[in-house]
Amino acid sequence: MKLLTALVAAGLGLAAVVAPSAAAAPTQCQYVARDLPIPSGADRAFAVASSSDDRLVLGSYSAQGNQHAVLWRNGAIHQVLPSPPNTIVSPTGVNKHGVVVGQVAGNGLRAYRQLLGRFFTLYTTPGDHSYATAINDNGDIAGGLMSVSDPAQLTAVVWERDKPEYTVVGDGTAVLVTTDRKVLTDKGILFDLATRTSVDLAATAPFVLDNERIFGWGFGSLPEWNTRGQLVATYDLGVEALGVNSHNTLFGGYGPSPVIPGLWRNGTWTPIQADKLPLTYGYGDVTDDEVLIGNHEGIRGLMTAAQWFCAP
């Protein structure tokens, strides 16, 4: 743990740390947005997460006074996941096996997981609310506990696969969990479930995990760490990352003022040109064939899920 912490501290002081270059970057194009279809009875839906292989996109929508989850695949509705009666469901994460996690509000707030319509609340101690934020492809679920008597008291936890209870990983909220079972809290503590050791990234949320790469936020310099907690790159002018593909094309917002959507390729940002600009906050991603996924401001300024394709 001391070695990893030292490497991070040393990396933060190196002016020469730069982001990797993109390979075979395509020519800048005009993107065209295609809104993702919405379930019957809904007036809109917005995207909140996608699977590690980008095949599944998770959305949230409202219908008949309730909030529900929807999964899209290849730009079409793959599965509608209705909420249990008399509850409001807020989906937050999905893995490549189609397991959805989030929190359900009914009699209190409880973390849940859902697969093929089967709905399970996660173990929560009496006197606490619980919520889930992310799931890895192994089935480990990151999230947190909130004290019922003191809502400011938050505990970062992970519901490890095949364990009946949860593992405490620190204060605050666990916001992501990697395939190699590292858990990152909103306080910037990277906890290793295998060794029970941690590394301090010296940064705070928001964080984004994509292709097993961890991105932070900043004004003037956006950091990237590997899953060992080592700073490996910085992106000049970057504000917030949304997603990255295997060709090192990073999708995010840069500026610092105003913050605009762009793609980082070959050591520089290129502004996204589109009929409807993707939002630079919340969820977004870029696939290996350079299709963008995210949200734009739709009717009444509400977030609307869409994909962006390069016009021929």
Side-chain angles (χ1 to χ4, degrees):
M1 180 176 71
K2 290 182 180 179
L3 173 61
L4 294 180
T5 303
L7 286 170
V8 172
L12 289 171
L14 291 176
V17 177
V18 295
S21 297
T27 304
Q28 172 65 10
C29 68
Q30 174 73 27
Y31 278 96
V32 175
R34 296 180 190 170
D35 290 352
L36 290 171
I38 60 176
S40 176
D43 59 0
R44 71 174 184 107
F46 60 95
V48 298
S50 59
S51 58
S52 59
D53 56 9
D54 294 328
R55 293 181 181 274
L56 294 172
V57 178
L58 175 65
S60 178
Y61 74 96
S62 297
Q64 299 176 344
N66 258 4
Q67 190 165 293
H68 310 272
V70 58
L71 284 174
W72 294 285
R73 184 169 184 166
N74 297 326
I77 292 177
H78 174 64
Q79 190 176 7
V80 176
L81 300 170
S83 304
N86 303 315
T87 64
I88 297 176
V89 162
S90 299
T92 56
V94 61
N95 67 14
K96 69 179 183 180
H97 306 297
V99 183
V100 172
V101 298
Q103 46 272 349
V104 54
N107 184 18
L109 186 69
R110 291 288 296 272
Y112 78 88
R113 64 182 175 91
Q114 189 174 19
L115 175 64
L116 299 176
R118 299 180 66 192
F119 192 94
F120 305 90
T121 54
L122 303 180
Y123 172 80
T124 305
T125 45
D128 287 320
H129 297 299
S130 63
Y131 49 94
T133 59
I135 181 172
N136 65 15
D137 288 337
N138 299 320
D140 303 308
I141 301 170
L145 304 178
M146 176 193 298
S147 171
V148 173
S149 60
D150 182 8
Q153 182 180 331
L154 303 177
T155 304
V157 301
V158 176
W159 289 270
E160 297 182 65
R161 181 180 177 178
D162 298 329
K163 290 190 176 181
E165 300 186 359
Y166 53 70
T167 301
V168 175
V169 299
D171 296 329
T173 299
V175 294
L176 59 84
V177 54
T178 68
T179 300
D180 58 358
R181 308 186 72 240
K182 308 291 178 52
V183 186
L184 184 61
T185 75
D186 60 343
K187 310 293 185 182
I189 303 301
L190 187 65
F191 184 89
D192 190 326
L193 289 170
T195 64
R196 295 309 198 252
T197 58
S198 61
V199 177
D200 189 348
L201 301 188
T204 57
F207 296 106
V208 167
L209 172 70
D210 198 16
N211 283 327
E212 296 304 287
R213 299 163 64 175
I214 300 170
F215 299 90
W217 70 279
F219 281 87
S221 182
L222 187 157
E224 178 190 344
W225 299 270
N226 61 23
T227 61
R228 295 193 299 272
Q230 298 167 317
L231 183 72
V232 295
T234 57
Y235 299 78
D236 291 342
L237 300 180
V239 175
E240 187 169 355
L242 294 174
V244 67
N245 65 18
S246 62
H247 307 304
N248 291 326
T249 298
L250 177 68
F251 172 31
Y254 73 102
S257 181
V259 178
I260 61 174
L263 298 173
W264 174 281
R265 302 188 187 103
N266 295 324
T268 189
W269 290 98
T270 301
I272 291 173
Q273 301 172 15
D275 55 335
K276 302 173 183 176
L277 286 177
L279 296 176
T280 58
Y281 58 86
Y283 164 75
D285 207 350
V286 54
T287 68
D288 285 349
D289 53 0
E290 304 285 327
V291 174
L292 307 181
I293 315 168
N295 298 288
H296 65 84
E297 289 191 2
I299 299 174
R300 302 186 303 277
L302 300 174
M303 287 196 300
T304 300
Q307 293 176 307
W308 282 260
F309 297 85
C310 187

